[in-house]
């Protein structure tokens, strides 16, 4: 008999921060301590927060000041970043490598913040809602675009800013001179969405392009990484991003995982972007997040249509599926409210199906801090859902998306991942579905790994079972004797040691 192919391991990533993580410079330490536990519960890679020096010691890194300062130089109020000093970052890299937990870097390449000095330059004001429309003549402004990096020294070039220190006026200014203009190859929202915030980097300038490419080569040599998350990609040059990806491929091989934040509830625009970028990386499935939000907050929502209009439905290989992130979490600008009862359903939908690369949220694993704290979601069962993905969500998928308030699916298992699973969920009252799990499971007794259903299901001689779920909840059924059942309920979510 010919050798059978080994079933690829299901992988899962975690966004390793939320917006309100305490600014105590201990996040790198916390993640290092949690690394082994995360790996054991089925999380293979973590997307860490922007680790470059921010505008202040409390900045989350999207207010980026210096790409080359990873918490090493005494700049902008201190040496460490919000997340910790460079030494702690390097220890996290070592610890993660030791337990085979991959790390994805969050690259903020669109802009720079907290300039060291103002510089006089010619500019025109543009309409905030149509950046191609000038609303003033050209005049001289005093712009915060002078970056000297006193800790080490450097310089940059910019296309836009949002403040004139000469008259204290806030507006969107397009900087003039030397053929400067907005990048053509950006999203067309607001006419041209090159400018997002702070001092907008000019990727038409060869010095800027060369420096950022060199930074990419330096970063990959300095740190042990398995991938990059690119921030705000619809706001800067697609041509440059392709060149940057080619630099990474040439220096570190094509094995790095690359994902971009193209946050837009437009499937057409997202697919067109992937096409223009030759499918060299993935995108976060923003439309799916909004589907989850609508389903959880709308009476009589139709679960059978939950994937309609999502990226994962049409680009299953290039979609990173998620439920929440730092921008959509409560009290953030892009908040997409998802009711607590729906979180386990949403996570089951991204973790236990065959399409997409799921990303779970730190705030749902460990809870959210800040003025409006939230406990871990899913009744602390999200780690168990991740583990169920790692152990059992393999093989042929049979869908039962045949009723608006109750859907289900099964995974039959494979020759080397034989156990499989059955998932049933309801956004109304308790319900049940008769589903096929495979003739090979005949006679097995299945139970809910989450423990929310206390009954047993015996698989009949047709390979079928009647699987139930509680009201507004989900059940994940697996053979009660399956390898790994003893690993559930063991995750330590007390990352803050409180």
């Amino acid at each position: 008999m010919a050798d059978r192919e080994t079933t690829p391991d299901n992988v899962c990533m975690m966004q390793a921060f939320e917006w309100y993580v305490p600014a105590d410079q201990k996040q790198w330490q916390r993640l290092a301590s949690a690394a082994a536990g995360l790996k054991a519960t089925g999380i293979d890679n973590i997307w860490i927060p922007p680790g470059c020096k921010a505008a202040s010691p409390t900045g989350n890194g999207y207010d980026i000041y210096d790409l080359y300062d990873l918490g090493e130089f005494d700049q902008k109020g201190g040496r460490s970043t919000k997340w910790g000093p460079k030494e702690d970052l390097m220890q996290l890299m070592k610890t993660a490598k030791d337990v085979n937990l991959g790390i994805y870097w969050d690259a903020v390449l669109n802009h720079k913040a907290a300039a060291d000095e103002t510089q006089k330059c010619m500019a025109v004001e543009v309409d905030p809602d149509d950046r191609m429309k000038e609303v003033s003549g050209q005049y001289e402004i005093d712009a915060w675009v002078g970056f000297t990096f006193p800790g080490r020294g450097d310089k940059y070039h910019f296309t836009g800013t949002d403040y004139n220190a000469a008259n204290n006026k806030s507006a969107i200014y397009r900087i003039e001179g030397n053929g400067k203009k907005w990048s053509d190859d950006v999203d067309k929202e607001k006419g041209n969405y090159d400018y997002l915030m702070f001092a907008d980097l000019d990727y038409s300038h060869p010095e800027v392009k060369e420096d950022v490419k060199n930074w990419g080569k330096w970063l990959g040599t300095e740190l042990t990484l398995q991938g990059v998350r690119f921030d705000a990609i619809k706001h800067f040059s697609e041509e440059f991003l392709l060149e940057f990806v080619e630099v990474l491929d040439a220096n570190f091989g094509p094995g790095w995982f690359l994902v971009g934040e193209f946050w837009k509830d437009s499937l057409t625009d997202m697919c067109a972007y992937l096409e223009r970028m030759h499918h060299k990386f993935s995108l976060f499935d923003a439309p799916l997040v909004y589907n989850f939000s609508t389903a959880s907050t709308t009476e009589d929502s139709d679960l059978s249509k939950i994937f309609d209009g999502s990226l994962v439905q049409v680009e299953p290989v290039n979609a990173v599926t998620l439920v929440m992130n730092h921008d959509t979490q409560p009290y953030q600008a892009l908040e997409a409210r998802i009711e607590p009862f729906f979180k386990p359903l949403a996570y089951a939908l991204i973790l236990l199906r065959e399409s997409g690369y799921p990303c779970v949220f730190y705030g749902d694993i460990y809870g959210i801090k800040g003025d409006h704290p939230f406990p871990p979601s899913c009744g602390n069962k999200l780690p168990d859902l991740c583990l169920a993905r790692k152990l059992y969500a393999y093989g042929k998928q049979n869908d039962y998306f045949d009723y608006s308030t109750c859907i289900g699916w099964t995974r039959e298992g494979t020759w080397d991942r034989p156990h499989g699973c059955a998932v049933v969920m309801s956004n109304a009252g308790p319900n049940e579905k008769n589903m096929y799990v495979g003739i090979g499971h005949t006679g097995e007794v299945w139970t809910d790994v989450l423990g929310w259903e206390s009954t047993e299901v015996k698989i009949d001689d047709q390979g079928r079972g009647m699987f139930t779920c509680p009201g507004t909840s989900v059940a994940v059924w697996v053979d009660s004797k399956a390898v790994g059942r003893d690993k559930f309920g063991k995750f330590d979510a007390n990352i803050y040691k409180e």
Side-chain angles (χ1 to χ4, degrees), residues 156-174:
Y156 278 92
H157 302 269
F158 302 93
T159 56
T161 188
D162 61 0
Y163 183 73
N164 179 8
N167 60 5
N168 297 320
K169 182 176 182 179
S170 294
I172 296 179
Y173 299 93
R174 188 185 70 234

Side-chain angles (χ1 to χ4, degrees), residues 220-414:
T221 303
E222 191 79 3
L223 303 177
T224 306
L225 301 175
Q226 278 68 48
V228 178
R229 179 259 187 191
F230 293 98
D231 182 58
I233 59 173
K234 69 179 183 178
H235 300 286
F236 66 94
S237 168
E238 296 172 9
E239 179 184 6
F240 171 75
L241 186 53
L242 273 174
E243 292 176 11
F244 188 81
V245 169
E246 289 170 359
V247 167
L248 295 182
D249 285 348
N251 284 271
F252 308 111
W256 276 24
F257 177 75
L258 308 174
V259 59
E261 183 222 9
F262 188 96
W263 202 260
K264 193 171 186 178
D265 192 12
S266 170
L267 182 60
T268 300
D269 288 351
M270 296 180 82
C271 291
Y273 186 89
L274 285 174
E275 186 70 25
R276 293 194 301 273
M277 299 299 288
H278 314 307
H279 288 77
K280 283 184 173 288
F281 56 89
S282 299
L283 297 179
F284 290 101
D285 197 343
L288 183 60
V289 172
Y290 293 117
N291 284 2
F292 289 155
S293 178
T294 299
S296 81
T297 57
T298 304
E299 193 173 350
D300 300 325
S301 62
D302 189 344
L303 285 179
S304 69
K305 298 179 180 178
I306 195 70
F307 288 108
D308 287 4
S310 67
L311 184 65
V312 71
Q313 188 178 57
V314 296
E315 295 279 2
V317 175
N318 292 92
V320 172
T321 52
L322 70 165
V323 176
M324 184 168 284
N325 67 16
H326 63 290
D327 286 325
T328 68
Q329 73 178 84
Y331 301 97
Q332 283 299 289
L334 298 178
E335 178 180 354
R337 196 179 95 206
I338 297 178
E339 293 297 326
F341 87 89
F342 200 81
K343 283 279 186 78
L345 283 67
Y347 274 114
L349 284 161
I350 70 169
L351 287 167
L352 302 178
R353 295 178 60 77
E354 59 188 350
S355 296
Y357 181 7
C359 178
V360 300
F361 181 48
Y362 178 96
D364 285 325
I365 293 277
Y366 294 113
I368 291 174
K369 294 293 189 179
D371 294 335
H372 306 279
F374 290 83
S377 73
C378 305
N380 289 295
K381 297 291 187 179
L382 180 50
D384 285 344
L385 285 168
C386 295
L387 186 57
R389 171 181 176 79
K390 176 62 69 176
L391 295 177
Y392 309 128
Y394 296 94
K396 182 182 178 184
Q397 180 172 289
N398 305 300
D399 285 339
Y400 297 83
F401 282 44
D402 51 3
Y403 195 69
S404 63
T405 59
C406 181
I407 60 173
W409 66 92
T410 66
R411 305 293 299 276
E412 294 185 29
T414 64

Side-chain angles (χ1 to χ4, degrees), residues 110-113 126-128 131 144-145 158-163 170-175 181-183 186-187 189-201 232 234-237:
N110 175 70
H111 54 265
K112 288 193 174 298
V126 298
D127 186 334
R131 312 298 174 75
W144 284 99
V145 294
F158 302 93
T159 56
T161 188
D162 61 0
Y163 183 73
S170 294
I172 296 179
Y173 299 93
R174 188 185 70 234
I175 296 173
K181 62 185 181 73
W182 299 135
S183 292
V186 298
D187 192 65
E189 187 177 344
K190 299 183 184 296
N192 178 294
Y193 222 167
D194 185 2
Y195 186 81
L196 176 63
M197 63 178 76
F198 302 121
D200 188 67
L201 282 169
K234 69 179 183 178
H235 300 286
F236 66 94
S237 168

